[in-house]
């Protein structure tokens, strides 16, 4: 991302964002609500357009529309706060839909791959159930499997645990930590500071639409360089 700006009317939500993410890197975006973290995440697969600046993926500019946009989105997996599963389709059908319809893969091959991914995220025994029969944590793990089924180059997570009951948060974070260990390139918007410490290669702190500070987790949490980051951490780490 180079010089990226985005406004919603009079509200300037991204201000001159410069950010480079390397293959296999896990970057966690943190900051107060309304700081632009989710908007930044959503611009990377064009769920939000940008007003100025450039975003490139593997050296190619992001496209705005058409078939090339579909191809881009198949390479950038996204997991949302709400699970966005199709209620009328089984877990297995939710995971195979993208590979069959968007990538044109054979159904039997897609089924086999989907079952492998559901096993990987710990819900293989739920393949024939419908989303409503699953807990929130299970549904979010299905959503992760669905994104992985497209063989993405990058995985975006937009507050993936914020809609979950506390006891379900860890089961989703464990899956994400395993993905990070396996070398998946990940951009994660989260309030889970333990995950940021454990899994991130880099923490990016945002406030008022700007990147205020970025550093390794050890350095950021123990020695924040800016007053704004110190103030933020003092409020969230004392509770």
């Amino acid at each position: 991302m180079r010089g990226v700006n985005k406004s919603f009317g009079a509200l300037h939500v991204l201000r001159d964002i410069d950010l480079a993410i390397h293959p296999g890197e896990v970057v966690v975006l943190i900051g107060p609500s309304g700081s632009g973290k989710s908007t930044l995440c959503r611009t990377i697969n064009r769920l939000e357009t940008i007003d100025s600046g450039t975003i490139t993926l593997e050296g190619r500019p992001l496209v705005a529309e058409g078939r090339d946009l579909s191809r881009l989105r198949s390479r950038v997996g996204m997991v949302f706060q709400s699970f966005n599963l199709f209620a009328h389709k089984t877990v297995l059908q939710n995971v195979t839909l993208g590979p069959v319809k968007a990538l044109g893969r054979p159904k039997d091959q897609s089924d086999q791959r989907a079952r492998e991914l559901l096993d990987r995220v710990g819900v293989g025994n739920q393949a024939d159930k419908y989303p409503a029969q699953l807990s929130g944590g299970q549904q979010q793990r299905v959503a992760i499997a669905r994104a992985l089924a497209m063989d993405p180059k990058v995985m975006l997570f937009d507050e993936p645990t914020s809609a979950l009951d506390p006891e379900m948060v860890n089961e989703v974070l464990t899956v994400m930590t395993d993905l990070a260990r396996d070398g998946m390139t990940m951009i994660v918007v989260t309030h889970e500071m333990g995950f940021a410490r454990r899994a991130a290669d880099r923490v990016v702190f945002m406030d008022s639409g700007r990147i205020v500070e970025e550093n390794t987790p050890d350095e950021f949490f123990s020695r924040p360089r800016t007053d704004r980051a110190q103030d933020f951490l003092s409020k969230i780490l004392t509770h």
Side-chain angles (χ1 to χ4, degrees), residues 21-27 74-79 113 117 120 144-145 147-157 175-188 195 199-201:
I21 290 159
H22 308 290
E25 190 177 23
V26 178
V27 173
S74 75
R75 294 162 69 221
V76 181
M78 183 136 192
V79 178
R113 171 83 172 131
L117 288 169
R120 181 178 175 184
I144 294 172
L148 291 173
M150 301 295 284
D151 296 325
K153 298 282 188 184
V154 183
M155 283 283 282
L156 308 175
F157 294 87
V175 169
M176 292 168 61
T177 304
D178 289 345
L179 274 181
R181 281 204 195 103
D182 291 345
M184 174 60 76
T185 308
M186 293 165 57
I187 302 163
V188 184
F195 173 81
D201 295 302

Side-chain angles (χ1 to χ4, degrees), residues 44-47 57 62-77 98-99 101-104 150-152:
I44 297 172
N45 70 346
R46 276 286 195 256
L47 284 175
L57 178 64
L62 292 202
V63 289
E65 57 191 20
R67 191 169 283 177
D68 286 341
L69 178 59
S70 298
R71 202 169 295 133
L72 163 81
R73 287 198 175 134
S74 75
R75 294 162 69 221
V76 181
K101 296 283 189 194
L103 303 181
M150 301 295 284
D151 296 325

Side-chain angles (χ1 to χ4, degrees):
M1 307 182 82
R2 288 276 160 84
V4 170
N5 283 272
K6 170 70 178 175
S7 295
F8 294 110
L11 189 64
H12 200 165
V13 288
L14 294 179
R15 298 170 181 264
D16 300 318
I17 297 292
D18 291 324
L19 183 64
I21 290 159
H22 308 290
E25 190 177 23
V26 178
V27 173
V28 173
L29 304 178
I30 66 171
S33 295
S35 58
K37 309 180 299 293
S38 289
T39 303
L40 188 156
C41 207
R42 291 166 68 87
T43 62
I44 297 172
N45 70 346
R46 276 286 195 256
L47 284 175
E48 300 288 357
T49 56
I50 59 175
D51 300 329
S52 62
T54 57
I55 305 176
T56 56
L57 178 64
E58 296 182 311
R60 294 181 184 168
L62 292 202
V63 289
E65 57 191 20
R67 191 169 283 177
D68 286 341
L69 178 59
S70 298
R71 202 169 295 133
L72 163 81
R73 287 198 175 134
S74 75
R75 294 162 69 221
V76 181
M78 183 136 192
V79 178
F80 300 87
Q81 196 171 24
S82 52
F83 323 121
N84 292 4
L85 299 174
F86 291 110
H88 62 290
K89 293 187 180 294
T90 65
V91 164
L92 186 68
Q93 289 167 338
N94 265 281
V95 178
T96 58
L97 190 65
V100 172
K101 296 283 189 194
L103 303 181
R105 290 186 181 160
K107 186 177 181 309
D108 55 349
Q109 179 190 332
S110 298
D111 280 1
Q112 183 184 342
R113 171 83 172 131
R115 289 186 187 278
E116 289 168 5
L117 288 169
L118 290 168
D119 281 338
R120 181 178 175 184
V121 300
V123 288
N125 58 345
Q126 311 292 335
D128 299 319
K129 290 185 178 175
Y130 289 88
Q133 296 172 279
L134 273 54
S135 71
Q138 289 171 327
Q139 289 187 61
Q140 193 61 296
R141 285 184 281 160
V142 172
I144 294 172
R146 178 181 59 181
L148 291 173
M150 301 295 284
D151 296 325
K153 298 282 188 184
V154 183
M155 283 283 282
L156 308 175
F157 294 87
D158 186 10
E159 299 195 18
T161 59
S162 60
L164 299 178
D165 292 336
E167 71 268 22
M168 294 174 190
V169 168
N170 274 345
E171 62 189 54
V172 173
L173 292 178
T174 298
V175 169
M176 292 168 61
T177 304
D178 289 345
L179 274 181
R181 281 204 195 103
D182 291 345
M184 174 60 76
T185 308
M186 293 165 57
I187 302 163
V188 184
V189 176
T190 187
H191 296 291
E192 298 292 337
M193 297 302 140
F195 173 81
R197 285 176 185 264
R198 190 169 64 245
D201 295 302
R202 188 161 33 126
V203 173
V204 173
F205 174 68
M206 293 185 68
D207 187 42
S208 302
R210 297 183 191 279
I211 292 176
V212 176
E213 188 169 338
E214 52 183 304
N215 214 327
T216 63
D218 282 352
E219 285 292 318
F220 178 77
F221 287 110
S222 58
R223 287 179 290 279
R225 292 192 296 251
T226 60
D227 291 344
R228 185 65 190 93
Q230 287 171 18
D231 181 52
F232 177 78
L233 289 173
S234 71
K235 285 175 178 156
I236 61 163
L237 296 180
T238 52
H239 298 294

